Structures are given as C-alpha cells and as structure tokens.
Amino acid sequence: MSKKPKAVATMKQLISHLLGFCWLVCFTGTQCFTSDDDMCQYSTTCPSFATCENITTGYHCTCKRGYISSSLEEHFTNPAVKCVVDRCQDSSTCPAFATCENVAGGYHCTCKRGFASSSGKQNFTDPTVKCIDVNECSQDPPVCGPHNQCNNTRGSFTCQCSPGYSSPSGTSWKPGDSHTLDCTENLISCQPRILQRDDFKSLCGNSTQHGNQQNNRFCTFLNETSKTLESACGNGNQSISLKEVSTSIDLLFYATAQQSNGSKEEVALVATIFLQSVESAALATARKSPGNKTQTITGETMTIVAQRVTDNCSRAGKMIELNAENELMSIDCMTVVGAREQGSGVVAFISYATLESILNNNFIDQQNLREDVKLGSTMLNSKVVSGTIGKPGPLSKPFNFTLEHKQKKEMEDKIICVFWNLTGPWFTEGCRLLRENSTHTTCTCNHLSSFAILMASHAIKAVL
Ligand SMILES: *[C@@H]1O[C@H](CO)[C@@H](O)[C@H](O)[C@H]1NC(C)=O
Ligand SMILES: *[C@@H]1O[C@H](CO)[C@@H](O)[C@H](O)[C@H]1NC(C)=O
Ligand SMILES: *[C@@H]1O[C@H](CO)[C@@H](O)[C@H](O)[C@H]1NC(C)=O
Ligand SMILES: *[C@@H]1O[C@H](CO)[C@@H](O)[C@H](O)[C@H]1NC(C)=O
Ligand SMILES: *[C@@H]1O[C@H](CO)[C@@H](O)[C@H](O)[C@H]1NC(C)=O
Ligand SMILES: *[C@@H]1O[C@H](CO)[C@@H](O)[C@H](O)[C@H]1NC(C)=O
Ligand SMILES: *[C@@H]1O[C@H](CO)[C@@H](O)[C@H](O)[C@H]1NC(C)=O
Ligand SMILES: *[C@@H]1O[C@H](CO)[C@@H](O)[C@H](O)[C@H]1NC(C)=O
Ligand SMILES: *[C@@H]1O[C@H](CO)[C@@H](O)[C@H](O)[C@H]1NC(C)=O
Ligand SMILES: *[C@@H]1O[C@H](CO)[C@@H](O)[C@H](O)[C@H]1NC(C)=O
Ligand SMILES: *[C@@H]1O[C@H](CO)[C@@H](O)[C@H](O)[C@H]1NC(C)=O
Ligand SMILES: *[C@@H]1O[C@H](CO)[C@@H](O)[C@H](O)[C@H]1NC(C)=O
C-alpha cells in the first residue's frame, strides 16, 4: 500500500514536469519542445535508422549510412519522415551504364548519356531493363562535320578526318573536347601525276616507245622518276614532312635538269613540275600549321614561308607579309581568305636559291618584251620566287613582291617584272613595276605563279 502513493506522486511529478516544459509549444504541433531542451535524449525524437544531433536552433535527424530520408532531405525534424534503405547505394540496383536516382518515395534508374533503355522508358525500376549503346554515327543529321568519319564507341562516338583530309587542331574529336575538327583536304596534287600531264604527253607522247631518241631518254627518265616523286609526296593519306618532300623534289629536279642536257622544253617541263610540287607541298604545310603563325622552312635550295590565316583578316585592308630570305611578298588578307570562305585561308611564299641559273636567259623570249627594252641584252637579275594561295585564277586584288637584285642596277638599265608561264618562257602579262632602286625592285601582279626580275642592260649592249 505504501508504494501506491509514491507511484502517484511520481506520475504527478512527471506530468507536471512535462507540462511545465511544453504545454506552450504543444499547441503549435511539430515544434513541441523548446529549443533549449535536449530533444536528442528521447529515442523517439528521430525515426529508426536515424541519428539525432544537437544544433544551435534545436536538433535535427539524419539518416544513417545506407539509408535515405523519405523526404530526400539530408536533415529533418518532421516526425512523418522515415529513413528508408538507399537503393542507389547498391550498385546492382540499376543496370550497367545507368545512373540511379532517389526520388520522393523511391528511386529510379536512368541510362547514361549515349545509352538508351531497352524498354524505351527514360526512368525505370524494372530490373530486366538494360541500357543499350546508341549508335550516334547513324543519326540524322550526322553528328560529325563534313569530310569526317564517325566511329561509334560505347556511350559516345569519335569523329576523325576522312582519308585525304586533315585538321590543324588534331586528328580526332569526341564530345567534351574543347577543340573543333576542321577537316580540310590534304594536298594530293603534291604529286603532279607527271605521266598524265598534257605537257608531258605533248613532249613525250603517250608512250616512251615513240619520239626521237633525245626525247626518248628524257621521257623514260621522267617516267621512272615520277614514281619517286609521287612516293615522296605521299598519296594523301599520310602526313608529309615538307623538309623531306622538298629535299626529294630538289634532288629529282636538279638530277632531271642535268639529265635533259638543256633541251628547253624538257627543262621547262621539269621546272614546272618542280615548282608546282613545291607549291602544293608548301600549301599542305600551311594547312597543317597553327593559325596566324608563319612557318619557315629553310633548305639548301629553297626557303618556304607558309601561313594559315584563321582570324578572318581581323580588319579590312590587313596585309599579309611574308619574308623568305629577305625576298618579300605582300598580299591582301581578304585575297587569301576569299570572300565566301569561312574566314580562313593559306598562303605560301617560296624563294629558290639557284633556280635562276636553270630558268635562265634561254627562257627569255624577246618577242614578249616591251619595245623599249628589246634592244638591250636581258638577264635574270633576281632569285626565282613563287607565291600561292592554293586557288587558281586571277586575284581579286593584286599582290606585291620585292626582290633583291643579283647585279646592281645602273641608271640606264631597265627592269622588267616577269612570271613563269607554266609552259615557259618568262612572261610579263599582268605584272608591272611598282618601284625600284639600285638594289631592289618591287613588282605588282594580278595573279600568282613564280616570279623573277629581268634586267635589260643597255650598258652591256653599248659595249658590244
Ligand atoms: C545537447 O545539448 C544539451 C544542452 O543544450 C546537452 O545537455 C546535451 O548533452 C547535448 N546532447 C548531445 C548528444 O550533444
Ligand atoms: C525522369 O526523372 C527525372 C528526374 O529524375 C525527371 O526530371 C524526368 O521528367 C523523368 N522523365 C520521365 C519521362 O518521367
Ligand atoms: C573506333 O574507336 C575504337 C575505340 O577508340 C578503336 O579501337 C577503333 O579502332 C576505332 N575504329 C575505327 C574504324 O577508327
Ligand atoms: C594518247 O592516247 C590517247 C588514247 O589513249 C589518244 O586519244 C591521244 O591522242 C594520245 N596522245 C598522244 C599525244 O599521242
Ligand atoms: C612508263 O614506263 C612504263 C614501263 O615502266 C611503260 O609501260 C609506259 O608506257 C611508260 N609511260 C609513258 C607515258 O611513257
Ligand atoms: C596509305 O598509306 C599507307 C602507308 O602509310 C599505304 O600502305 C596505303 O596503301 C595508302 N592508302 C592509299 C589509299 O593510298
Ligand atoms: C646528257 O649528256 C650526258 C653526257 O654529256 C649523257 O651521258 C646523257 O645521256 C645525256 N642525257 C640525255 C637525256 O640526253
Ligand atoms: C589569330 O589571331 C586573332 C587575332 O589577331 C585571334 O583572335 C585568333 O584567336 C588567333 N588564332 C589562333 C589560332 O591563334
Ligand atoms: C602594293 O603596293 C602599292 C603601292 O605601294 C600599295 O598601294 C598596295 O597596297 C600594295 N599591295 C599590297 C597587297 O601590299
Ligand atoms: C568574316 O568576315 C566577313 C566580312 O567581314 C563576314 O561576312 C563573315 O561572317 C566573317 N566570318 C567569320 C567566320 O567570322
Ligand atoms: C602562257 O603561254 C601560252 C602560250 O605559250 C599563252 O597562250 C598564255 O596566254 C600564257 N599565259 C599567260 C597567263 O600569259
Ligand atoms: C632599295 O629599296 C629597298 C626596299 O624596297 C630598301 O630596303 C633598300 O634600302 C633600298 N636601297 C637603296 C640603295 O636605296
């Protein structure tokens, strides 16, 4: 009997204790306790699989590792929130190549980018559904740019330039790469197919079986060496080193020029093949070079300066100036880029060390010269240079070049700006003298080709 009153007293104490603390807040519902109370001492404050934590504003519950709150909140106080097993913690919940995501009241799987679910549903929980690679390469419109080969990979794809094309920014591209793949055609004309050339055919005929004996030997030689030239230039699917190419072309050229023993047509033909080969090799180099920077390649017999213009000429009237061993070329940027192009283009300028000794006075046709210089004795008085932008035809604006004289010009000497007509000899059409002094001449021409300075020396004539 003595125990009962004590129990009642304890109960009374408890009730008064509870009321004393929380009669006020219980009316407000969830916030049943004052902030200075230690709520975490009650095991029922937080649900199963949760830990309780004192914080400055009171407390909060946090689901234990492996569990996630049904409200998806990291911390919560709402007594309705439960801690449920985090299915996404288990890597076997979703199939390969899927991501798992907890959503209110559950979870779902979603195939990663580059994959599609076998059920066709974006979000799924069905354990039999798989994520299958999407073949981006068969999509329309194509995911890769023009002149690209698409290679489907698991979850992604790569783009590569097609054979015969290359990009200065790299060899391939995949989603996420910051660079772009700009595939431009490799210079396949680096190997001018000698045997198919009209000038070769007209000189040698279709077969070396015909023609006179002199030509026969020359034609056989060219026939044989054309293979060397073609292999030196590569066949468009391999990257070519300009230095290698120019060395091979050089050797071939000088060997051929010697072989031909000075027959004008033969030398002119070989020279033309030579000039065109070097030009296309130089352009190929320019296309592969980083934007804006000039690349200079100096060899024993030539110096090549090549540039790729990428800045859309940045301003109107911008000139591109190239210097090859102090021979200069200046061309309007817009001429290089071309009005309809996407702001880029290539230009190359080549200075030949000794070519003028081969394309010499034999190739000056007095008939082509102006009346006032015809009487003089003419000579090639500069190095031979070539300029090219890889496009045929007349230029939208003329370009200028400045060459150093081999021999000092005297007052009475006449200067003539000439270009190498593909079939030779030196021609003057489209070129004219801009300015001259005793050591240099600046010419302007409305087309690109190979150029030199002729000097008609009246002094020599007078002596003779
Ligand atoms: C929570 O805070 C109260 C006082 O504010 C303190 O008595 C109690 O020990 C704390 N509990 C924990 C688990 O830190
Ligand atoms: C799939 O779930 C995401 C959220 O995880 C949602 O944004 C999307 O709308 C859902 N897609 C479908 C088709 O229900
Ligand atoms: C496609 O890409 C894969 C992986 O990068 C590579 O192994 C394969 O050789 C590529 N195939 C082609 C045709 O480029
Ligand atoms: C070369 O052969 C073709 C036919 O194969 C013929 O049409 C052409 O006239 C020939 N040219 C010369 C220069 O013999
Ligand atoms: C080139 O040489 C081959 C033999 O090596 C011969 O069959 C062919 O007729 C020659 N072609 C010309 C155009 O000379
Ligand atoms: C491409 O170059 C390789 C050697 O690098 C050669 O074996 C192959 O025949 C070339 N392909 C074509 C189409 O020229
Ligand atoms: C050029 O001349 C040399 C000797 O002077 C001779 O051996 C060679 O066969 C000649 N070449 C041709 C193509 O006639
Ligand atoms: C080329 O120069 C222009 C400015 O002159 C610049 O905007 C552009 O990024 C440059 N391009 C490269 C590839 O360096
Ligand atoms: C060529 O020179 C003339 C005269 O000096 C000048 O007006 C013109 O702009 C120059 N052109 C180029 C492309 O440099
Ligand atoms: C290049 O400049 C021209 C004319 O200034 C303009 O029409 C064109 O859109 C530009 N192209 C790029 C790629 O900026
Ligand atoms: C090149 O020479 C040929 C004849 O040899 C001539 O018909 C042609 O007009 C010349 N080309 C130029 C651009 O003067
Ligand atoms: C001749 O002109 C060139 C540039 O056109 C210049 O560099 C050189 O100094 C000039 N020489 C003389 C002697 O005036």
Side-chain angles (χ1 to χ4, degrees):
M1 283 298 273
S2 64
K3 270 193 175 174
K4 206 177 178 186
K6 197 177 179 189
V8 169
T10 312
M11 192 63 112
K12 267 185 183 166
Q13 273 177 347
L14 180 62
I15 290 165
S16 85
H17 177 82
L18 282 175
L19 284 175
F21 277 111
C22 66
W23 68 270
L24 232 177
V25 280
C26 274
F27 290 105
T28 64
T30 59
Q31 277 214 286
C32 209
F33 303 96
T34 54
S35 61
D36 57 347
D37 192 14
D38 178 13
M39 286 304 298
C40 288
Q41 70 177 297
Y42 307 107
S43 63
T44 53
T45 301
C46 286
S48 306
F49 313 115
T51 54
C52 187
E53 201 183 346
N54 274 344
I55 52 171
T56 52
T57 56
Y59 76 99
H60 63 211
C61 307
T62 308
C63 291
K64 290 181 174 167
R65 188 186 271 276
Y67 293 85
I68 189 157
S69 75
S70 55
S71 65
L72 301 178
E73 295 166 295
E74 190 183 349
H75 308 298
F76 58 90
T77 52
N78 186 342
V81 174
K82 299 274 167 276
C83 284
V84 295
V85 173
D86 182 358
R87 295 289 309 273
C88 290
Q89 285 267 311
D90 182 351
S91 61
S92 64
T93 301
C94 286
F97 311 115
T99 53
C100 185
E101 192 184 4
N102 287 300
V103 292
Y107 75 98
H108 63 221
C109 306
T110 309
C111 290
K112 287 182 178 164
R113 183 199 274 271
F115 293 87
S117 76
S118 55
S119 66
K121 293 219 172 67
Q122 189 187 353
N123 301 328
F124 57 92
T125 51
D126 182 346
T128 63
V129 172
K130 298 269 168 280
C131 287
I132 304 159
D133 176 42
V134 171
N135 185 357
E136 292 87 355
C137 293
S138 59
Q139 284 174 3
D140 192 33
V143 289
C144 292
H147 311 306
N148 270 233
Q149 277 187 330
C150 184
N151 183 10
N152 184 46
T153 58
R154 205 154 69 178
S156 188
F157 62 95
T158 58
C159 302
Q160 269 173 287
C161 291
S162 305
Y165 290 80
S166 61
S167 167
S169 56
T171 53
S172 69
W173 180 90
K174 60 182 185 315
D177 284 355
S178 57
H179 68 264
T180 55
L181 199 63
D182 178 19
C183 297
T184 50
E185 195 175 5
N186 289 342
L187 253 290
I188 44 169
S189 58
C190 171
Q191 73 291 31
R193 300 188 177 281
I194 296 174
L195 306 187
Q196 271 103 65
R197 294 176 67 99
D198 288 340
D199 44 10
F200 175 82
K201 284 184 188 165
S202 73
L203 190 66
C204 299
N206 279 340
S207 154
T208 49
Q209 306 307 308
H210 307 293
N212 64 47
Q213 239 199 321
Q214 172 85 18
N215 270 0
N216 210 339
R217 262 141 102 198
F218 169 76
C219 296
T220 306
F221 177 76
L222 260 195
N223 187 351
E224 280 163 11
T225 48
S226 75
K227 293 178 192 79
T228 315
L229 182 58
E230 284 172 22
S231 69
C233 282
N235 39 24
N237 78 352
Q238 67 214 54
S239 66
I240 48 171
S241 137
L242 181 55
K243 200 149 193 171
E244 263 171 53
V245 173
S246 59
T247 306
S248 317
I249 298 173
D250 254 12
L251 290 175
L252 178 65
F253 173 66
Y254 289 103
T256 312
Q258 269 174 347
Q259 274 282 321
S260 73
N261 288 352
S263 149
K264 262 173 78 171
E265 293 83 2
E266 292 165 358
V267 174
L269 172 59
V270 180
T272 300
I273 293 171
F274 170 72
L275 292 168
Q276 290 180 346
S277 304
V278 174
E279 280 181 20
S280 52
L283 285 170
T285 303
R287 294 209 167 105
K288 285 180 185 147
S289 65
N292 300 349
K293 284 210 193 85
T294 50
Q295 276 211 314
T296 304
I297 295 146
T298 308
E300 265 177 37
T301 53
M302 66 181 94
T303 295
I304 300 173
V305 184
Q307 183 175 349
R308 192 165 70 91
V309 181
T310 56
D311 64 353
N312 199 13
C313 297
S314 58
R315 61 187 165 79
K318 182 180 176 180
M319 298 293 173
I320 294 177
E321 278 158 12
L322 301 178
N323 178 331
E325 300 282 290
N326 294 326
E327 313 292 357
L328 308 174
M329 169 179 175
S330 170
I331 186 165
D332 191 286
C333 182
M334 287 310 290
T335 311
V336 174
V337 163
R340 273 171 295 149
E341 311 291 321
Q342 282 306 298
S344 71
V346 286
V347 56
F349 182 56
I350 303 137
S351 160
Y352 299 95
T354 56
L355 192 53
E356 76 279 1
S357 66
I358 293 168
L359 301 183
N360 54 19
N361 301 0
N362 290 337
F363 298 95
I364 302 171
D365 184 349
Q366 298 287 330
Q367 298 302 315
N368 293 321
L369 301 181
R370 290 198 319 262
E371 286 300 322
D372 62 333
V373 295
K374 268 185 186 169
L375 296 172
S377 136
T378 44
M379 64 176 287
L380 221 57
N381 197 28
S382 73
K383 286 181 180 169
V384 175
V385 297
S386 297
T388 177
I389 56 172
K391 295 166 217 168
L395 299 172
S396 52
K397 274 187 191 163
F399 87 105
N400 299 350
F401 62 90
T402 301
L403 304 185
E404 189 182 358
H405 297 162
K406 293 189 81 72
Q407 207 176 86
K408 216 169 164 202
K409 178 194 167 295
E410 303 297 341
M411 279 300 283
E412 59 273 34
D413 296 336
K414 293 273 190 273
I415 294 289
I416 306 138
C417 302
V418 290
F419 74 95
W420 181 253
N421 187 326
L422 291 187
T423 53
W426 293 103
F427 271 75
T428 58
E429 276 83 358
C431 290
R432 69 187 168 81
L433 178 70
L434 270 184
R435 53 185 172 268
E436 53 167 55
N437 61 26
S438 60
T439 58
H440 292 80
T441 292
T442 301
C443 304
T444 187
C445 293
N446 63 13
H447 57 87
L448 287 167
S449 164
S450 299
F451 304 89
I453 306 285
L454 290 193
M455 189 166 81
S457 178
H458 289 261
I460 297 171
K461 177 78 179 173
V463 168
L464 291 174

